[in-house]
Amino acid sequence: MGTSLRMSSTADDTPIRTDPGLCRDCQHARQMESDRGSIFMLCKLSFQDSRFAKYPRLPVLVLPGPSSALAALPAVPIDP
């Protein structure tokens, strides 16, 4: 997933990139860009497990539930 980041800007309109935390290398995360150019992380686990936010607040530092349970969940395909 690379360093996909949510962006905001400073007073001089310099973009600030937010570290996505655990979403950075997650196979269930997908970078989404709005029509206005805002970048968000979509959590595909939210389609299977309601403990996960569809668009989590970044950076994600802690995952809900036991980590061993996450490894057992299959990747959720999404059309681009």
Side-chain angles (χ1 to χ4, degrees):
M1 185 68 24
T3 55
S4 309
L5 310 170
R6 184 177 301 189
M7 295 184 60
S8 59
S9 60
T10 61
D12 64 354
D13 290 330
T14 304
I16 298 173
R17 295 186 181 270
T18 303
D19 180 4
L22 296 173
C23 294
R24 181 185 318 105
D25 300 318
C26 181
Q27 67 177 347
H28 304 286
R30 180 169 180 217
Q31 180 177 317
M32 305 295 289
E33 186 170 350
S34 73
D35 294 339
R36 296 182 182 180
S38 296
I39 299 172
F40 304 92
M41 296 300 291
L42 167 68
C43 178
K44 295 186 280 183
L45 284 175
S46 66
F47 301 131
Q48 295 177 309
D49 190 332
S50 62
R51 295 177 295 173
F52 293 88
K54 186 173 182 180
Y55 296 101
R57 190 172 192 165
L58 301 178
V60 174
L61 302 176
V62 178
L63 297 175
S67 59
S68 60
L70 297 178
L73 290 172
V76 179
I78 289 186
D79 295 329

